Amino acid sequence: MQKMVMENSIVSEFEGILLKDSDPFSYFMLVAFEASGLIRFALLLLCWPVIRFLDALGMGDAGLKLMVFVATAGLRVLEIESVSRAVLPKFFMDDIDMEAWRVFSRYDKRVVVTKMPRIMVERFVKEHLRADEVVGSELVVNRFGFATGLVDGDIGFISSKVAKLFVDDEPSLGLRRATSSFQFFSICKEQMHPPFITVENCHDHKLLRPLPVIFHDGRLVMRPTPLTALLILSWMPLGIVLATIRITIGVMLPMRIIPYVTPLFGGKIIVKGKPPSPISGSNSGVLFVCTHRTLMDPVVLSTVLMRKIPAVTYSISRLSEILSPIPTVRLTRIREVDAQKIKQELSKGDLVVCPEGTTCREPFLLRFSGLFAELTDRIVPVAMNYRVGFFHATTAGGWKALDPIFFFMNPRPVYEVTFLNQLPAEATCSSGKSPHDVANYVQRILAATLGFECTNFTRKDKYRVLAGNDGTVSCTSLVDKVKKVVSTFKPFLQ
């Protein structure tokens, strides 16, 4: 394939070109579920036959406006932005057509055109696909910051906005579907239709792949296509009952019996490596250093070892602490105070710590805090991973108390626990290594075990991306929370 000349421009459709799927319905379903809840989610699914009927009649624009209205009417625009920032990028990335991306990324000026409201697409396209401009319709927002469900701009309006971007020079290439209704492609010097065939040359092209999505939020594991959404809604009642039974069993039964009962209710724990035996007659316990996938990590570890091992925690909810079948030690993130707490617990016996400080869903490990390496040389790394079908068991912007409930609502939750050998003395601080070096070493061997990638990202980085804050948990009283809710609705009372 002839090498494309740089410093040229390209215009590409988003749906059906950069995304394999040309139907944006599932992305509106995500907005409905994550920003509103089950009722709006179910209502939009009920509208799907009407949307398909309008599309069959050649009234796809009307069907799109119906999707927008049902998914967004009455929502705060900040909630829609939050879903666009924290939830949609992961699902967009999973649907990227890499051949179209390779063509798109070879140009210096990149413009993406979407049928969806710009607010839903812009962040992903600019940050991960490195586009310069995103053109789409605009949500109409009232003076209180709520979406009306209406959009400003039809197909013709969007086409005219694209044309205005290229007043001085025509786009070099347009990537479009054969059935595209956009008119601006007539101004492109060349046009291409899928399938796209490219020949990679690493010396000519640095952007071999889009910027990966490391952090994402939301409860749904699968993109809610109509069939998947129907399956999720059908499973929810049974899932709630099953979660209640599983949690009750975990709280009431002795720890040594739970491994034998778990398979009866659809759960599975895969153990690799040799778990260490309890150390007796010592003035210090073993510190199990785990990767942090969900809040269930320490509980699953205790289940495998058939004894209750305390776990240090920070931002879990009080409900999770109450339901926890193992003791928890709440940290403060004040280094000296936390070090003293961990030392005190280790003097009593074994302890579990997750030095990432927060969970990460993707195959990446966040930077390990070196605090654990300063406090003991008896360190056993444990690689934790999990698989679920319907619901994620972690959240950054939602209610953390529901994390274990969503985990147990999955039909067949699977946990993998891999025990590594205790660190030799020469790999610990007792041999003169710094806590930072020990933490990095443990991070690397755990990542290699799981096939993950090490990063320098921290808890603060995650929460800045997903929630727009640094993840600090404040001790807010109930009265203060009530005052905050009242102040939120004060404009409506005036």
Side-chain angles (χ1 to χ4, degrees):
M1 182 176 178
Q2 184 179 359
K3 181 182 175 181
M4 296 179 182
V5 181
M6 297 301 288
E7 296 187 359
N8 283 339
S9 54
I10 186 170
V11 181
S12 175
E13 285 190 86
F14 191 51
E15 301 85 0
I17 296 294
L18 293 173
L19 294 184
K20 298 173 187 176
D21 195 348
S22 60
D23 184 5
F25 178 79
S26 58
Y27 300 108
F28 286 103
M29 289 290 284
L30 284 166
V31 173
F33 184 88
E34 302 293 353
S36 183
L38 274 178
I39 295 177
R40 191 186 295 264
F41 185 74
L43 181 60
L44 183 54
L45 182 61
L46 289 174
C47 292
W48 180 75
V50 179
I51 295 167
R52 293 295 298 167
F53 180 69
L54 290 172
D55 192 47
L57 293 178
M59 302 172 63
D61 195 34
L64 180 64
K65 289 180 179 179
L66 178 59
M67 276 190 272
V68 174
F69 182 82
V70 176
T72 66
L75 291 178
R76 281 187 176 275
V77 71
L78 292 177
E79 293 172 335
I80 300 172
E81 288 177 346
S82 177
V83 174
S84 302
R85 177 182 66 246
V87 180
L88 294 183
K90 163 63 178 173
F91 294 95
F92 285 148
M93 185 63 74
D94 289 344
D95 197 34
I96 286 293
D97 185 326
M98 290 305 299
E99 295 300 327
W101 151 254
R102 290 185 182 108
V103 175
F104 179 78
S105 64
R106 289 176 184 269
Y107 286 77
D108 277 353
K109 183 176 181 180
R110 311 180 193 99
V111 178
V112 172
V113 183
T114 177
K115 295 187 292 185
M116 289 182 270
R118 179 186 54 82
I119 190 175
M120 291 175 58
V121 174
E122 185 172 38
R123 187 180 184 96
F124 169 76
V125 168
K126 286 188 174 182
E127 291 189 2
H128 296 276
L129 301 188
R130 303 175 178 91
D132 299 294
E133 298 289 342
V134 180
V135 182
S137 58
E138 301 291 337
L139 283 178
V140 178
V141 181
N142 65 22
R143 65 190 184 94
F144 299 112
F146 289 87
T148 63
L150 306 177
V151 290
D152 182 14
D154 55 12
I155 297 296
F157 177 77
I158 293 173
S159 296
S160 65
K161 287 180 68 175
V162 175
K164 290 179 181 178
L165 293 175
F166 296 95
V167 174
D168 299 326
D169 189 22
E170 296 176 340
S172 303
L173 181 64
L175 303 183
R176 57 169 294 182
R177 293 173 294 125
T179 58
S180 175
S181 55
F182 290 113
Q183 303 300 317
F184 61 82
F185 286 107
S186 60
I187 68 174
C188 298
K189 296 176 182 178
E190 293 184 57
Q191 297 182 27
M192 287 182 66
H193 306 279
F196 305 103
I197 301 175
T198 60
V199 178
E200 283 300 332
N201 188 327
C202 294
H203 297 290
D204 294 337
H205 184 43
K206 295 181 180 179
L207 304 181
L208 296 179
R209 63 176 183 172
L211 191 68
V213 176
I214 296 178
F215 302 119
H216 65 95
D217 209 9
R219 291 296 189 184
L220 297 183
V221 173
M222 298 183 289
R223 183 159 58 96
T225 60
L227 182 59
T228 301
L230 181 61
L231 188 61
I232 290 171
L233 286 171
S234 302
W235 173 257
M236 286 289 285
L238 180 59
I240 293 172
V241 174
L242 188 58
T244 303
I245 294 173
R246 286 168 169 169
I247 292 173
T248 303
I249 289 174
V251 172
M252 296 182 63
L253 291 182
M255 189 67 69
R256 63 181 180 276
I257 298 177
I258 293 177
Y260 303 103
V261 177
T262 297
L264 301 178
F265 294 92
K268 185 178 181 181
I269 301 178
I270 301 172
V271 181
K272 301 177 182 178
K274 184 179 180 181
S277 302
I279 298 177
S280 58
S282 173
N283 59 357
S284 178
V286 169
L287 184 63
F288 292 96
V289 178
C290 300
T291 54
H292 202 7
R293 307 305 284 171
T294 77
L295 293 180
M296 297 298 299
D297 298 335
V299 177
V300 173
L301 179 64
S302 291
T303 301
V304 170
L305 297 175
M306 296 187 184
R307 62 183 191 273
K308 294 184 178 182
I309 301 177
V312 296
T313 66
Y314 171 65
S315 59
I316 69 171
S317 68
R318 292 297 183 186
L319 178 60
S320 296
E321 287 183 326
I322 293 171
L323 293 177
S324 175
I326 63 173
T328 59
V329 182
R330 183 175 285 260
L331 299 184
T332 63
R333 296 206 188 274
I334 301 173
R335 193 175 185 85
E336 295 76 13
V337 175
D338 292 343
Q340 186 60 38
K341 283 189 175 185
I342 293 174
K343 282 183 179 179
Q344 184 177 353
E345 290 298 323
L346 281 172
S347 66
K348 301 175 184 177
D350 297 343
L351 186 66
V352 182
V353 63
C354 300
E356 289 176 273
T358 187
T359 57
C360 183
R361 296 174 177 177
E362 293 301 291
F364 298 91
L365 293 187
L366 308 187
R367 191 175 71 198
F368 278 28
S369 166
L371 178 61
F372 72 90
E374 301 176 14
L375 307 178
T376 182
D377 295 331
R378 292 180 173 177
I379 299 171
V380 176
V382 184
M384 310 288 291
N385 204 3
Y386 77 108
R387 299 195 301 271
V388 289
F390 284 164
F391 310 107
H392 284 295
T394 60
T395 183
W399 191 20
K400 293 181 182 294
L402 296 179
D403 286 0
I405 297 174
F406 271 101
F407 177 79
F408 286 116
M409 281 175 60
N410 286 285
R412 288 188 59 81
V414 178
Y415 242 99
E416 296 180 0
V417 183
T418 304
F419 290 94
L420 279 63
N421 294 329
Q422 180 174 320
L423 292 190
E426 58 268 20
T428 66
C429 291
S430 61
S431 65
K433 291 185 178 295
S434 70
H436 179 73
D437 290 338
V438 175
N440 285 348
Y441 172 71
V442 174
Q443 183 197 34
R444 287 196 301 271
I445 61 176
L446 286 174
T449 301
L450 294 170
F452 287 4
E453 184 176 336
C454 295
T455 75
N456 282 320
F457 292 116
T458 65
R459 171 186 56 87
K460 289 185 178 181
D461 295 320
K462 169 186 169 179
Y463 279 89
R464 285 181 185 131
V465 170
L466 299 184
N469 57 57
D470 63 1
T472 301
V473 177
S474 60
C475 300
T476 307
S477 68
L478 180 60
V479 174
D480 291 335
K481 291 181 180 179
V482 172
K483 289 180 179 178
K484 185 177 180 180
V485 172
V486 171
S487 64
T488 301
F489 290 94
K490 190 175 181 179
F492 301 97
L493 302 176
Q494 293 177 342

